[in-house]
Structures are given as structure tokens and as C-alpha cells.
């Protein structure tokens, strides 16, 4: 698929003008990636903490209710609101971790099987999204249907990333080794995009998937005990400290609005007819 086919510069003629919204997702800046990694780690440890304190079934029920509530609020707002969006991302992170853990711990599905299953699920979401909308660009999230595809994709990436991170830790890399592996891996799409061998949309979603096992591996390494190769700081303290960091960054963005995309309906910033790269803060 070419970059041009993946971009959207005008609303689809099939979409009524009244159904087109202001952008519902943030601009992709350095802050975006920092908060994204923080939410992945916080979701990992929060999920484990809740499962230990409440039990797996109540934890999953509470996580599912919180996710549904946060997504309902996200769909209800008419444009991007920092705290609403990132609350939904946090809840996706927590519940996505629970979904992957239920499949492995509850149903006994090995990571070698669950990881490809989640990868296939993500591929299916991408295929249906592209077949319906002819774009996978996050700068086209201006209709309810595209917003639904976006959040289905986000949930699938979190489940896949959880399983992949646990798989790499289980095969002998450990949590610190896994963190190093994914820190190197996330540089690959950035470099490929910079060199022009990977378009912006593909580079974004590749990096987006990798942030999940990266953040989760770092958080697990910090939280878990020495016997499991960690620092032994505890699930509760790591969850709390990462939550404070998330709140701080989101509060800054809410006040500064540095991550608010242009509000011209249907317009997507382009450079020379091609979607502008947004790997770094501007």
C-alpha cells in the first residue's frame, strides 16, 4: 500500500458533513510517546496489583467496567480532550493486560500461541478498517466509525504487546533483557521512516505496538522481586509512581494544548502531498 493510499486529505464523500468531527486523537509528539510508554507500564503493574488484592474475577469485572465507562466518555466528547483520551488509554492498558493474562493464566494458553493469535486479531482489525475506510491514518479519526476502528486497534495492540512481552521474558531474556530488546526494536521503524523506506502510517503503528512490551517490561523489572530478576520495588509503589508521572504529563498537555491537532474539519496537514511525519515534538 502506498503512502498516498494510506493518507486522507478530505472527508470521504460517503460520510455526511454533519457526521465529521474535530480530531479525536492527539498530535503525535515526543510527549505522546513518553505518556504512551508510561501507560503501558502502569497498566501492567496495576492489572497485577488489582488481581492480587481483589482476585482475578473481580479485577477483570472492575477493569471492564472502568474501560467501558472511559470509552463512553471518549466517544461522547466532540473533540480531543487530553484527560479524557489518556484515561481511556490507561483503562485499555489495564484491561488489555487482563485479557492477555486471562488467556494464559485462566485458560492455560501458552504465550507461543496467544501472541500469534493476538497478532492475527490485530491484522484482522487493520484489514477491516482499511477495507472500510481506505486509510489507517490517525489523522483521519474524524467520524464515529473510524473512532471505533481506532479504539479496537488500540485494544488489540495492548493485548498483543502484553503477550509478546511476557513471551520474551519467559524464553530467557528476563524483564530487563526484554526491555533492552524492545528499546532497540522501537528504533527500527523510526530509522526506517527517516530513511524513507517505511511510510508514516506503518511506522506509527509498528512503534505503537512495540511501546506496550517496552513499558511493561520496564515496569515489571522495577516491581517484581529479585528472585524473578527485578528490583523488588513492589507493584503498588510502581503503579502509584507511574500514575503520578502520567497525571503530570497529561496536566501539562491539557494546559499547554501542545498536542492538539488542527481543528479544520477533514483537513490533514500534508507536505508535498504526503502526510507529514510526527515522530518528534514540534
Amino acid at each position: 500500500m502506498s503512502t498516498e493510499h494510506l493518507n486522507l486529505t478530505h472527508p470521504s464523500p460517503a460520510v455526511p458533513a454533519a457526521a465529521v468531527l474535530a480530531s479525536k486523537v492527539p498530535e503525535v509528539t515526543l510527549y505522546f510517546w513518553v505518556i504512551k510508554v508510561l501507560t503501558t507500564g502502569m497498566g501492567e503493574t496495576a492489572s497485577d496489583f488489582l488481581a492480587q488484592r481483589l482476585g482475578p474475577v473481580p479485577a477483570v469485572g472492575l477493569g471492564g467496567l472502568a474501560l467501558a465507562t472511559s470509552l463512553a466518555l471518549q466517544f461522547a466528547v466532540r473533540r480531543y480532550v487530553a484527560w479524557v483520551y489518556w484515561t481511556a488509554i490507561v483503562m485499555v492498558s489495564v484491561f488489555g493486560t487482563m485479557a492477555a493474562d486471562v488467556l494464559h493464566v485462566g485458560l492455560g494458553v501458552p504465550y507461543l500461541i496467544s501472541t500469534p493469535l493476538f497478532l492475527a486479531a490485530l491484522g484482522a482489525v487493520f484489514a477491516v478498517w482499511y477495507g472500510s475506510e481506505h486509510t489507517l491514518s490517525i489523522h483521519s479519526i474524524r467520524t464515529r466509525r473510524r473512532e471505533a476502528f481506532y479504539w479496537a486497534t488500540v485494544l488489540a495492540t495492548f493485548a498483543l504487546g502484553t503477550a509478546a512481552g511476557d513471551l520474551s521474558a519467559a524464553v530467557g531474556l528476563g524483564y530487563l533483557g526484554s526491555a533492552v530488546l524492545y528499546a532497540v526494536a522501537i528504533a527500527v521503524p523510526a530509522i526506517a521512516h527517516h530513511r524513507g523506506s517505511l511510510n508514516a502510517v506503518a511506522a506509527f503503528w509498528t512503534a505503537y505496538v512495540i511501546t506496550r512490551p517496552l513499558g511493561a517490561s520496564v515496569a515489571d523489572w522495577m516491581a517484581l522481586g529479585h528472585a524473578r530478576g527485578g528490583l523488588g520495588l513492589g507493584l503498588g509503589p510502581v503503579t502509584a509512581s507511574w500514575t503520578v508521572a502520567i497525571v503530570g504529563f497529561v496536566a501539562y498537555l491539557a494546559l499547554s494544548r501542545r498536542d492538539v491537532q488542527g481543528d479544520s474539519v477533514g483537513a490533514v496537514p500534508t507536505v508535498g502531498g504526503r502526510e507529514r511525519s510526527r515522530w518528534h515534538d514540534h
Side-chain angles (χ1 to χ4, degrees):
M1 293 182 293
S2 68
T3 306
E4 288 79 5
H5 288 164
L6 286 169
N7 288 336
L8 178 73
T9 55
H10 300 286
S12 168
V15 179
V20 180
L21 309 171
S23 176
K24 298 294 294 290
V25 299
E27 182 69 278
V28 181
T29 68
L30 177 61
Y31 299 105
F32 176 92
W33 294 113
V34 170
I35 300 174
K36 175 62 169 59
V37 171
L38 288 171
T39 62
T40 64
M42 180 270 185
E44 175 77 14
T45 55
S47 173
D48 293 342
F49 180 77
L50 291 172
Q52 288 184 6
R53 292 299 181 94
L54 304 178
V57 174
V60 171
L62 179 62
L65 178 61
L67 173 62
T69 301
S70 63
L71 285 179
L73 182 58
Q74 167 66 21
F75 275 84
V77 297
R78 297 293 297 177
R79 64 183 65 246
Y80 167 69
V81 179
W83 73 266
V84 174
Y85 174 86
W86 287 110
T87 297
I89 289 291
V90 167
M91 291 301 103
V92 169
S93 178
V94 173
F95 190 78
T97 302
M98 291 176 174
D101 288 344
V102 164
L103 196 62
H104 177 72
V105 179
L107 301 180
V109 178
Y111 293 128
L112 280 171
I113 296 178
S114 63
T115 301
L117 284 177
F118 285 127
L119 179 60
L122 177 60
V125 173
F126 276 139
V128 175
W129 181 1
Y130 187 78
S132 172
E133 304 300 312
H134 307 294
T135 178
L136 300 177
S137 172
I138 65 166
H139 300 106
S140 71
I141 311 302
R142 297 176 182 272
T143 69
R144 296 297 186 191
R145 185 166 59 186
R146 288 175 181 172
E147 189 175 11
F149 280 126
Y150 174 82
W151 285 102
T153 302
V154 169
L155 184 56
T157 63
F158 273 87
L160 169 60
T162 299
D166 289 337
L167 173 62
S168 62
V171 298
L173 285 178
Y175 296 112
L176 181 57
S178 295
V180 173
L181 170 66
Y182 293 117
V184 173
I186 202 170
V188 174
I191 294 172
H193 174 61
H194 180 72
R195 293 181 175 179
S197 57
L198 190 65
N199 68 60
V201 175
F204 170 83
W205 284 115
T206 302
Y208 197 93
V209 171
I210 297 173
T211 57
R212 173 56 186 171
L214 172 60
S217 297
V218 174
D220 276 336
W221 172 64
M222 294 175 63
L224 298 179
H226 300 293
R228 301 178 63 180
L231 296 179
L233 300 179
L235 294 171
V238 172
T239 300
S241 61
W242 285 46
T243 300
V244 169
I246 293 168
V247 170
F249 277 109
V250 173
Y252 168 73
L253 292 178
L255 293 173
S256 68
R257 297 177 60 83
R258 294 195 64 179
D259 64 337
V260 176
Q261 292 189 34
D263 287 335
S264 54
V265 175
V268 177
T270 58
V271 175
R274 302 173 73 88
E275 185 173 345
R276 189 175 63 207
S277 168
R278 291 175 171 87
W279 280 90
H280 302 288
D281 177 29
H282 59 281

